[in-house]
Amino acid sequence: MNMLSVRINQQQVRLVLRSNQTARAIADIVPFSATVRRWGQALMFDCPLPVIPAADQPQTELAPGDVAFWSDGSSIILGFGPTPISTGREVRLAHPSTVWADALDDLIAFADVETGSKVEIHLEQSVEIKTARGQ
């Protein structure tokens, strides 16, 4: 199983890659770092992909633990709660985005992260993990 880690300040979350073009493209460019922008209870940061993959089933609502890529803005999105356009507790995005990874750890770990924080993305060693979602 291919995994990445996302570190912001002292918090780290592990991501399990999905089987789509976006996940493969992002895995090919790690490690990288960027600066976080906060939008409600979602964090966004630039992803330096040299070629933006075609969207794999883009969507505007994320389930808990989904990690998305917004191709028009070349940004990764970590949503852990409502955004300014959400209705209720949903994580609603302003633009259709492709889910390319699942957080193995709770994204709420990033709830206190402020705009301007540095984020680092690294490849983790491949491991065999069974999750409750069966992935």
Side-chain angles (χ1 to χ4, degrees), residues 39 41-44 58-63 66-70 75-87 90-99:
W39 188 54
Q41 292 185 32
L43 303 178
M44 298 173 57
Q59 56 195 64
T60 57
E61 189 173 333
L62 300 181
D66 286 350
V67 178
F69 177 76
W70 173 39
S75 298
I76 291 176
I77 304 166
L78 306 172
F80 49 86
T83 66
I85 63 170
S86 294
T87 302
E90 69 184 7
V91 180
R92 180 153 310 272
L93 305 177
H95 304 280
S97 301
T98 299
V99 176

Side-chain angles (χ1 to χ4, degrees), residues 121-135:
I121 311 294
H122 295 278
L123 187 63
E124 290 283 316
Q125 286 185 311
S126 294
V127 294
E128 186 63 34
I129 297 175
K130 292 186 179 181
T131 66
R133 295 162 79 176
Q135 297 177 344

Side-chain angles (χ1 to χ4, degrees), residues 26-43:
I26 292 171
D28 285 345
I29 63 165
V30 293
F32 67 90
S33 61
T35 302
V36 171
R37 298 180 309 277
R38 189 174 177 116
W39 188 54
Q41 292 185 32
L43 303 178

